[in-house]
Amino acid sequence: MTVRAASIRLLCLDVDGVLTDGTVQLDDLGHETKRFNVRDGLGISLWKRLGGEVAVITGRSGLAVRHRLEELGVRHLYSGSKNKFDDIRDAANACGVPLSAVAFVGDDLPDLPAMRACGYPVAVHDAAAEVRAVASFVTTACGGHGAVREVVEHLLRTQNRWNEALAMFDSPSAPGTRAGSGGVQHEQQQPQST
């Protein structure tokens, strides 16, 4: 398990149940909204800053996911996926990595083909039993509650790169950093008027 985790270069993620808690919210006009965890966004940003690639493969389509991924600088989105096996293979080819260097994080049965094809299958804590059974790593966090950030930390620790991630926050400006367009950005506090 450790050897496979150490070779991962592409992190592929499902959306509903992994980046979100699986809830689909529709307003009266039929517009879909999603809730994302900022800790997962930080994890994605850290992974990218340290040279990793990220792809998202989801069976659903929607602008909420597209907006969030643009915010994080994720360039590889496969939405409306009907075949996650084909899509994980396409993502690996697009990033120039073999399937053995791909991790896929899933939660339910449609994720199984991608998980079986990749080098390092990961399940979120509240994944279906069949998904947990094929996983090399199962998070302690549930989907939508920091599971992706946990996966990134696990991979970076296995690759002996976690200290590089921590070093990004050792500067005096660390409290003003936030995850954003693919990296850590600095925000300046505006003086408050009295």
Side-chain angles (χ1 to χ4, degrees):
M1 172 176 83
T2 304
V3 173
R4 286 191 296 161
S7 66
I8 298 305
R9 295 178 8 224
L10 170 60
L11 178 60
C12 290
L13 308 167
D14 179 31
V15 174
D16 296 308
V18 172
L19 282 171
T20 75
D21 66 5
T23 301
V24 176
Q25 296 175 326
L26 297 173
D27 67 16
D28 289 343
L29 299 175
H31 297 124
E32 182 175 299
T33 62
K34 295 192 182 291
R35 187 179 76 188
F36 299 97
N37 190 301
V38 295
R39 294 181 66 201
D40 290 334
L42 175 63
I44 290 168
S45 294
L46 290 173
W47 182 253
K48 288 175 59 17
R49 290 237 10 232
L50 291 173
E53 292 279 356
V54 177
V56 172
I57 302 172
T58 178
R60 296 183 62 85
S61 299
L63 291 177
V65 172
R66 187 173 306 280
H67 291 308
R68 179 62 173 148
L69 296 180
E70 285 175 3
E71 198 176 67
L72 295 171
V74 175
R75 299 176 299 131
H76 306 284
L77 170 61
Y78 299 81
S79 62
S81 177
K82 301 295 183 222
N83 185 331
K84 291 189 179 184
F85 172 80
D86 287 345
D87 291 334
I88 196 172
R89 191 178 53 209
D90 290 348
N93 288 337
C95 294
V97 301
L99 282 171
S100 61
V102 178
F104 185 89
V105 186
D107 75 303
D108 215 341
L109 303 180
D111 300 323
L112 286 172
M115 292 179 73
R116 289 182 179 127
C118 74
Y120 198 67
V122 177
V124 296
H125 181 74
D126 55 342
E130 296 84 356
V131 172
R132 288 192 316 269
V134 303
S136 296
F137 178 73
V138 178
T139 65
T140 58
C142 293
H145 295 278
V148 172
R149 198 261 185 212
E150 181 182 338
V151 171
V152 169
E153 180 174 345
H154 167 72
L155 292 173
L156 292 176
R157 283 185 184 277
T158 303
Q159 296 173 3
N160 294 315
R161 301 194 69 203
W162 183 242
N163 285 338
E164 292 176 57
L166 293 177
M168 293 180 199
F169 300 95
D170 283 344
S171 71
S173 62
T177 60
R178 68 171 176 87
S181 304
V184 175
Q185 298 178 352
H186 297 282
E187 293 182 355
Q188 294 193 347
Q189 299 275 336
Q190 296 295 324
Q192 294 182 351
S193 56
T194 55

